[in-house]
Amino acid sequence: MKRTIQAEELLLFLLSVYGLYVLNAEWWIFLLLLLGPDVSMVGYLAGNKAGAVVYNIFHHRGLAVLIFLIGFIMKVWLVQVIGIILFGHSSMDRLFGYGLKYFSGFKDTHLGKIGSHKN
C-alpha cells in the first residue's frame, strides 16, 4: 500500500508542476517557493499544539485548492501560483512520508511516525 500512496503523491506533485507550466510560471519562482511552506515549522517554537496547527494549515491540500480557486475566479495569477505550489509541496512531503501533524509532536503524522526509530 505504501508504494501505491507514493505513486499517487508523485502524480499529484507532477500535476502541480504541469499546472505551473500552464500558468507560464518561471521555474525559479517554483524552486524558490517550493520549500516556502516549511517555514511553518517555526510554529513549533510555541509548542507542539501551535506548531501542528500552523504546519497543518500550510500543508493542507484542501486549503491549497481553495487558494487556487480564489485566484482562478478572481483572475489573480499570483494567488493561483501560490495555491499550486502549496498543493505540490504537500504532495512532495507526503511522497517522502511527511504527513499532517498530530499535537503530540512533529514526528507524529497521519502517515505514521517520521524517522528511523518508528515506534
Side-chain angles (χ1 to χ4, degrees), residues 75-89:
K75 297 179 179 25
V76 179
W77 177 85
L78 182 60
V79 176
Q80 292 175 55
V81 169
I82 290 169
I84 289 173
I85 288 174
L86 286 171
F87 185 90
H89 175 90

Side-chain angles (χ1 to χ4, degrees), residues 2-118:
K2 181 180 177 183
R3 297 276 185 218
T4 302
I5 292 172
Q6 286 178 319
E8 179 181 39
E9 296 302 340
L10 177 61
L11 291 173
L12 290 171
F13 174 75
L14 293 175
L15 177 64
S16 71
V17 171
Y18 178 71
L20 291 172
Y21 168 78
V22 168
L23 288 177
N24 295 313
E26 297 285 336
W27 290 108
W28 66 267
I29 293 174
F30 176 67
L31 295 175
L32 179 68
L33 297 178
L34 183 62
L35 297 177
D38 283 336
V39 171
S40 63
M41 287 186 281
V42 77
Y44 278 93
L45 294 174
N48 285 341
K49 186 174 182 178
V53 169
V54 172
Y55 183 93
N56 290 343
I57 287 171
F58 278 84
H59 290 80
H60 194 286
R61 284 197 301 225
L63 183 59
V65 169
L66 181 62
I67 290 169
F68 170 79
L69 288 174
I70 290 168
F72 181 78
I73 291 166
M74 297 179 71
K75 297 179 179 25
V76 179
W77 177 85
L78 182 60
V79 176
Q80 292 175 55
V81 169
I82 290 169
I84 289 173
I85 288 174
L86 286 171
F87 185 90
H89 175 90
S90 297
S91 295
M92 181 185 69
D93 271 5
R94 291 176 184 149
L95 173 64
F96 295 115
Y98 293 90
L100 297 174
K101 309 302 182 201
Y102 290 116
F103 294 158
S104 55
F106 182 80
K107 292 186 175 191
D108 296 328
T109 78
H110 82 286
L111 296 175
K113 204 164 220 15
I114 298 171
S116 58
H117 301 291
K118 297 179 181 180

